[in-house]
Amino acid sequence: MGRKFLSKGFALLLVLSLVLALFSGCSGKVNENASDKKDADKPKATADAPGWQSNKEPITFDWYVNFSWFAHKWGDDAVSKYVTDKTGVSVNFISPAGNEAEKMNTMIASGKLPDFITIGWWEDAVKKMIEGELVLPLNELADQYDPYFYKVADGAKIEWYKQEDGNTYGYPNASSSPKDFDKYKDLKPSNQTFLVRKDMYEAIGSPDMSTPEGFLNALEAAKKKFPEVNGAPLIPFGLNEFTDVGNTSLEAYLQNFLNIPMDKDGKVYDRSQDPEYLAWLKTFREANDKGLLAKDIFIDKRPQMEEKISQGRYFAMLYQRSDLAAQQHALYAKDPNSVYIAVDGPANSNGDGPALAGDSISGWTVTLISKDVKDKERAIQFLTYMISEEGQMDLYMGKEGETYDMVNGKPEFKPEILDLLNKDRAAFDQQYGASFKYWMLMDTNMSLAWAPPASEPFKQMEDWTKGKTVSYAEFDGISPTGTSAEGVAASKIAQEWGKTLPKLLLAKSEKEFDEIFEGFLKKRDSFGYEKVEKYQQEIYEKNKEKLDAAN
């Protein structure tokens, strides 16, 4: 009897242990991704309704933004609270404290990424994440969890970002397909501007700064008349920050102002060797020789620059107008004449107008979903919501009745909210968070239907660029990245250029400038520039085919 009891007990224990093992295995799978624990009987998502409406349980996604200057927090303002109340989704933003490339490389090396990643489309890390299978195909996520994605996503953009494996991993912001660009090019301004401080510029006679002589004379006159700004030295000329691969102000911005072609006779053109470009780099060298380039511009990062812009310490800047919104507000509040205005900047020797970059199909950044995302279903549904017209309007306008009212069928910010937007962008962001404070997936074409007319002190800068924009879409992504032979060569060349550019400006003579530049060209060749050129031409031709198909 005792043995019989023990036998039954052992059998019972064995069954219990098997059951526990089974559930233990299941719980391990549950932890892999929250999407796997969804009820099998749940209706399959369809293309007829947004997937996010089917599940509004609270969830928080970690969202990495690869810009060290991005410091916003979700949940502190009206818009993010509204979106969370509506969708159940909260966001924990993460941004690098220092060098963005180092942070991305460290995360990639670890093999583990936050749920969402927003990064410049041109960054080498994009290719590394895709090749390393660290991010998920958006099309596969949409097929499985939210076919509504295809109703709201732009097919041309999906095709543009499709990889060789047939999958699309990232979705862009501030992107214009060829049809979009043709439709909006006269309405949509460029962000690239040559700016001067209004009161100083007018005080020295509003000179023509489009020629090397006029540019240098104006900087000298400003420095002589305004040696200090509130007790601090004037900075005659400002630029974007110097990085380990160069300075955008002195590359694409300057080349676009000089209207240097991107291709000639069907071949990608090396703009860096263009005589007009080199003549202007030598002009900046001469400016330094005359004491007109402050040491600040070689070492300052974005936070230091923003502080100095808000103090009005720069006389002139080759800079993007949108990035000084808060500082422009502050200057306008103190003295409307102390703001920055756009004027004709450096021009080629023929006096041709600039060919400034407008939105291209690549956009500004791409957003990707990590393979480690805590809930695949909710992630693609939230991304779908954000790129939809409903999500775009929520992120731009906020909540009806709270931040805006419908007036004659069009959403308009409440008067006091619009007034704050026009007077104090920082306070507007903190309190309301509308007007694309959260810009990661912003559609700058769609928002034209809601955006209030530009007001001073921004209208003049915006209006100046209209009619001067062109699309450079066929040249997007032509520079190789990654670990391929051409990718490694391009990386070495970029790093070498980053070291060379400041040396050119600091050269003691034009002869030294020429020697430094010739040395760069020789190193560039030794790094494999021929491979890079071949790759660029191939991608350029493929891009043209893609764009022709999109039209």
Side-chain angles (χ1 to χ4, degrees), residues 192-265:
Q192 300 174 349
T193 45
F194 181 76
L195 306 170
V196 291
R197 192 171 139 168
K198 184 175 184 291
D199 50 1
M200 294 181 181
Y201 182 66
E202 292 173 349
I204 61 172
S206 303
D208 177 7
M209 297 180 70
S210 65
T211 66
E213 298 76 21
F215 175 81
L216 292 171
N217 290 339
L219 295 191
E220 284 187 296
K223 185 178 180 182
K224 183 177 180 180
K225 194 170 187 68
F226 304 98
E228 291 188 343
V229 178
N230 297 324
L234 176 78
I235 302 172
F237 184 55
L239 305 159
N240 272 289
E241 66 181 80
F242 281 84
T243 70
D244 57 351
V245 293
N247 187 305
T248 53
S249 294
L250 294 175
E251 293 155 12
Y253 285 22
L254 176 60
Q255 291 160 359
N256 292 347
F257 265 88
L258 300 179
N259 206 332
I260 298 172
M262 292 282 285
D263 65 333
K264 285 189 176 182
D265 301 320

Side-chain angles (χ1 to χ4, degrees), residues 35-45 377:
S35 301
D36 298 331
K37 69 181 180 181
K38 299 286 188 278
D39 190 338
D41 296 328
K42 182 180 175 181
K44 185 175 175 61
E377 183 170 10

Side-chain angles (χ1 to χ4, degrees), residues 261-383:
M262 292 282 285
D263 65 333
K264 285 189 176 182
D265 301 320
K267 300 292 183 183
V268 176
Y269 181 56
D270 179 13
R271 297 170 107 192
S272 68
Q273 290 197 73
D274 188 271
E276 302 277 0
Y277 177 58
L278 291 174
W280 269 94
L281 285 187
K282 288 179 178 180
T283 299
F284 297 134
R285 186 214 70 79
E286 189 176 347
N288 183 66
D289 216 31
K290 293 174 176 285
L292 301 172
L293 296 187
K295 69 178 186 302
D296 309 52
I297 68 171
F298 294 99
I299 57 177
D300 281 351
K301 298 299 181 186
R302 179 75 170 257
Q304 290 79 38
M305 293 172 60
E306 289 180 345
E307 181 181 1
K308 289 169 183 176
I309 294 171
S310 68
Q311 296 166 349
R313 287 185 59 193
Y314 296 99
F315 163 60
M317 301 182 75
L318 190 51
Y319 201 66
Q320 55 278 7
R321 61 184 176 81
S322 65
D323 284 0
L324 47 76
Q327 295 75 31
Q328 184 86 325
H329 269 308
L331 291 169
Y332 191 73
K334 292 176 187 173
D335 178 2
N337 285 316
S338 70
V339 299
Y340 289 93
I341 58 171
V343 299
D344 292 342
N348 62 38
S349 55
N350 293 326
D352 297 325
L356 307 178
D359 289 348
S360 72
I361 195 166
S362 291
W364 170 30
T365 66
V366 286
T367 292
L368 309 96
I369 296 176
S370 163
K371 70 174 178 60
D372 301 309
V373 66
K374 58 177 63 75
D375 191 320
K376 297 174 186 176
E377 183 170 10
R378 297 292 296 281
I380 187 63
Q381 290 172 352
F382 189 57
L383 186 146

Side-chain angles (χ1 to χ4, degrees), residues 479-524:
S479 294
T481 60
T483 56
S484 63
E486 59 269 17
V488 171
S491 179
K492 287 181 178 178
I493 291 168
Q495 296 282 339
E496 187 61 31
W497 176 248
K499 297 174 188 173
T500 301
L501 183 57
K503 291 179 182 176
L504 293 173
L505 271 58
L506 296 170
K508 299 298 183 186
S509 64
E510 189 169 318
K511 180 183 176 184
E512 185 181 341
F513 179 104
D514 291 336
E515 290 171 351
I516 292 170
F517 190 71
E518 283 301 316
F520 164 73
L521 294 179
K522 287 178 181 176
K523 281 193 176 182
R524 187 176 75 166

